Amino acid sequence: MRVTSILWPIWLTVSLTKAQDILARELHVSDAVEAACAELGESHADLVLLPNTAEYDKEVINVWDKRSNLLPGCIFRPETDTQVATALRIFHANNAQFAVRGGGHLPYPGANSISDGILVVLSGLNKIKVDTKKNLVEVGPGNRWLSVYSALAPHGLYAIGGRLSTIGVAGSSLLGGVNWFLNKYGFTMDTIVSYDVVLGNGTQVVADKRTNSELFWALKGSALNYGVVTKFVIKTYKIPRVTSTMQIFQQAAVPAFIKATCDLVLSEDGSVGAGAVININYNVTTGTATPQVFGLQETTKSPPSRFANYTAIPQVVTRVHNVTTPIDRHAGLAAPKPDVPVRLCVSFGHHTIKPDAKRLTEIYNAWIDAINDVADVPGMRPTFILNLVPRSAATVSKKNGIGNTFGLDNKQPYIWWQLSTSWARPEDDLRVTTWSQSFLESIHAENKALGLATELLYGGDAADYQNPLLTYPKENQERLRHTRDQYDPDFVFTRLNWGGFKLGY
């Protein structure tokens, strides 16, 4: 219903200042959301943000994707797990719709934003506690990985977290967590030894290998389907020094660049931690492509041996190797800063392929041709990304006695080939996302016909129409739903928290 209560007259009598520039419209708040906002305001007035305030406007745009700048009925910023539990009890009792935001990384509306509902922002749950005796770190869900790395650096320790330092801990960990040393230590989720969780009815539980063990397993790659995690306990490793490589190539190097990428994942045995951000940027103005690899290896030798095939490519523009500390390397690789408003619309999307340099080069060439169809879109920035999924990464979960929800086979390496596309205007949202989806799905169909594709998707880089949970092995999907029925029998994180990737009924 449209808001008319005297509790919220400011919503209707004054325009939404900065937020109006984001998405000009009136709020239409249900009785359930109005009641829940009122209850939160009565018990935690200093933690509730209302429209037409500076803090509300700032929080609304604290996301990676301009399309996610939605207008909630109110914003709740808890600072303790007890306050999260109170909020969930209120939502459950009122049947109030809500969204939860950690780092705001998923680039599409509804995943960490909501229109007319309640937005729960976890930035206040930002405690970090390092245990050097047990080589563990306790991390609140409001942290970004740079804060974790900074806390560990004085002890010569490192956690297996996000490659870009400003990625949030919560979302990346619950979606799986691609990282620099995936090949040796597994996904981020494989290094988590305990979760503190608030369930949909406000109950607080701990999930680890011995307590609530099914929930412990289910949280490893299932996104937000069971509850809000208020603390992660994560393994740390003695990695005081690393060697980085930054190599940027001419367009003519693309075939050799793609072959070096395939050779890297095919030759992986997990003995030395090494990984990379590997992509090809395209400039629609100049019509040029720029292959680039930003690698990191668990070594103090330079150049790093695992990237020798890139180092051998002659058509290089920039090539720098550097022995450094993990924290110094992360400080130089940041995603959009959380306190800077996002001015671009962003779309991810990917599929999985066996490493095949010839076929990936064909896909790259087809992508270059397809860009012509959207090259006139203002602010168009297309990027072709290759994320490696080595056999050794799957071996970690198969040997740790826990496993994870992905169910990857450790006999076959893969590459997640991805389109990351950004543009300036919301008027072009449908055009660009349709273009991206059409390209991804047509190429994936060809890859399946060639026997090169598999269906598994990674939630951290999936498009909004791609539900990775439904690509997991059938037995894992059934186990996930059975666990959901046990821990969220009222389907709070299906009915009321409907954004993001869901298991369905």
Side-chain angles (χ1 to χ4, degrees):
M1 65 178 278
R2 186 170 173 172
V3 177
T4 57
S5 168
I6 60 172
L7 293 173
W8 317 98
I10 198 170
W11 292 8
L12 299 178
T13 59
V14 184
S15 63
L16 291 175
T17 59
K18 294 181 181 178
Q20 184 175 347
D21 296 332
I22 300 163
L23 183 60
R25 68 169 185 82
E26 291 182 341
L27 287 161
H28 294 266
V29 180
S30 67
D31 290 341
V33 169
E34 182 179 347
C37 286
E39 286 190 51
L40 287 172
E42 290 171 2
S43 58
H44 300 93
D46 57 332
L47 303 177
V48 176
L49 304 179
L50 300 180
N52 203 54
T53 62
E55 280 299 301
Y56 174 98
D57 289 335
K58 182 179 179 181
E59 197 64 71
V60 163
I61 59 177
N62 191 4
V63 289
W64 280 41
D65 174 20
K66 187 177 179 179
R67 297 179 300 152
S68 296
N69 295 337
L70 306 182
L71 301 181
C74 68
I75 299 173
F76 182 57
R77 298 197 293 193
E79 297 175 345
T80 68
D81 55 356
T82 302
Q83 292 167 353
V84 174
T86 297
L88 284 170
R89 281 195 294 271
I90 290 172
F91 302 159
H92 180 256
N94 287 282
N95 267 328
Q97 297 184 3
F98 67 98
V100 181
R101 177 184 298 163
H105 175 51
L106 281 182
Y108 56 83
N112 43 55
S113 57
I114 190 169
S115 294
D116 305 319
I118 302 159
L119 176 61
V120 179
V121 177
L122 300 177
S123 56
L125 280 80
N126 57 6
K127 292 182 179 178
I128 300 174
K129 181 180 179 181
V130 181
D131 186 335
T132 56
K133 293 182 179 179
K134 295 183 178 179
N135 285 334
L136 296 173
V137 60
E138 298 178 4
V139 182
N143 285 288
R144 295 172 189 268
W145 282 108
L146 182 60
S147 298
V148 180
Y149 301 143
S150 298
L152 294 173
H155 308 285
L157 296 174
Y158 183 64
I160 308 303
R163 294 174 298 183
L164 301 183
S165 58
T166 49
I167 288 177
V169 170
S172 61
S173 299
L174 292 170
L175 289 166
V178 172
N179 58 79
W180 291 114
F181 301 145
L182 168 69
N183 67 316
K184 182 176 180 180
Y185 300 104
F187 295 91
T188 300
M189 61 184 169
D190 297 320
T191 70
I192 298 173
V193 301
S194 176
Y195 305 85
D196 284 15
V197 190
V198 180
L199 304 179
N201 61 4
T203 302
Q204 295 177 251
V205 301
V206 174
D208 57 28
K209 194 173 182 177
R210 294 178 177 81
T211 306
N212 296 303
S213 57
E214 278 299 286
L215 178 60
F216 180 57
W217 171 83
L219 289 169
K220 295 179 179 295
S222 63
L224 197 63
N225 278 275
Y226 300 94
V228 175
V229 176
T230 56
K231 184 172 72 176
F232 300 84
V233 181
I234 308 172
K235 293 180 182 178
T236 65
Y237 302 88
K238 288 282 187 181
I239 308 176
R241 305 285 287 177
V242 293
T243 299
S244 65
T245 184
M246 178 183 72
Q247 302 190 46
I248 301 173
F249 301 94
Q250 301 169 13
Q251 182 168 330
V254 167
F257 178 84
I258 292 175
K259 185 178 186 305
T261 301
C262 291
D263 289 343
L264 178 59
V265 72
L266 285 167
S267 64
E268 187 56 71
D269 63 6
S271 58
V272 177
V277 174
I278 304 166
N279 59 53
I280 303 174
N281 291 333
Y282 186 78
N283 187 315
V284 295
T285 302
T286 63
T288 57
T290 303
Q292 49 191 17
V293 57
F294 302 94
L296 201 67
Q297 184 169 325
E298 191 180 12
T299 183
T300 56
K301 295 182 179 180
S302 181
S305 59
R306 291 296 296 147
F307 302 97
N309 287 342
Y310 295 103
T311 307
I313 298 174
Q315 302 102 324
V316 67
V317 176
T318 301
R319 179 173 286 140
V320 178
H321 311 300
N322 186 33
V323 179
T324 184
T325 61
I327 184 62
D328 286 343
R329 184 53 181 151
H330 279 287
L333 282 175
K337 294 182 179 180
D339 58 347
V340 176
V342 175
R343 300 302 184 192
L344 292 174
C345 306
V346 183
S347 173
F348 292 169
H350 75 282
H351 273 296
T352 309
I353 190 173
K354 296 176 183 177
D356 186 301
K358 179 177 180 295
R359 178 57 183 160
L360 281 166
T361 301
E362 292 172 351
I363 296 171
Y364 157 79
N365 288 327
W367 172 69
I368 292 293
D369 291 339
I371 290 172
N372 291 326
D373 295 335
V374 288
D376 62 314
V377 172
M380 187 69 176
R381 298 180 184 179
T383 303
F384 186 73
I385 299 173
L386 300 174
N387 277 317
L388 308 185
V389 192
R391 289 183 294 263
S392 54
T395 300
V396 173
S397 65
K398 289 185 176 294
K399 290 185 176 182
N400 65 9
I402 302 161
N404 61 48
T405 58
F406 286 7
L408 274 167
D409 182 359
N410 63 348
K411 297 179 181 178
Q412 173 65 55
Y414 294 104
I415 291 176
W416 285 321
W417 63 275
Q418 176 188 348
L419 304 188
S420 176
T421 311
S422 60
W423 61 100
R425 306 187 313 156
E427 292 87 349
D428 295 309
D429 288 358
L430 182 59
R431 180 182 176 190
V432 177
T433 55
T434 300
W435 169 82
S436 177
Q437 180 175 349
S438 298
F439 183 85
L440 284 163
E441 299 312 314
S442 63
I443 295 295
H444 181 57
E446 293 176 7
N447 291 344
K448 287 197 291 185
L450 293 169
L452 293 174
T454 187
E455 296 299 332
L456 179 72
L457 295 170
Y458 170 58
D461 293 320
D464 52 356
Y465 73 90
Q466 297 178 311
N467 188 340
L469 306 182
L470 304 184
T471 69
Y472 296 174
K474 293 298 182 183
E475 60 271 23
N476 285 10
Q477 293 184 44
E478 292 175 6
R479 186 177 173 188
L480 285 166
R481 291 193 180 93
H482 179 76
T483 305
R484 187 269 315 276
D485 295 347
Q486 178 182 355
Y487 287 92
D488 189 18
D490 295 330
F491 291 79
V492 170
F493 285 90
T494 302
R495 297 182 301 108
L496 303 180
N497 175 248
W498 41 261
F501 303 121
K502 298 300 178 181
L503 290 165
Y505 291 95

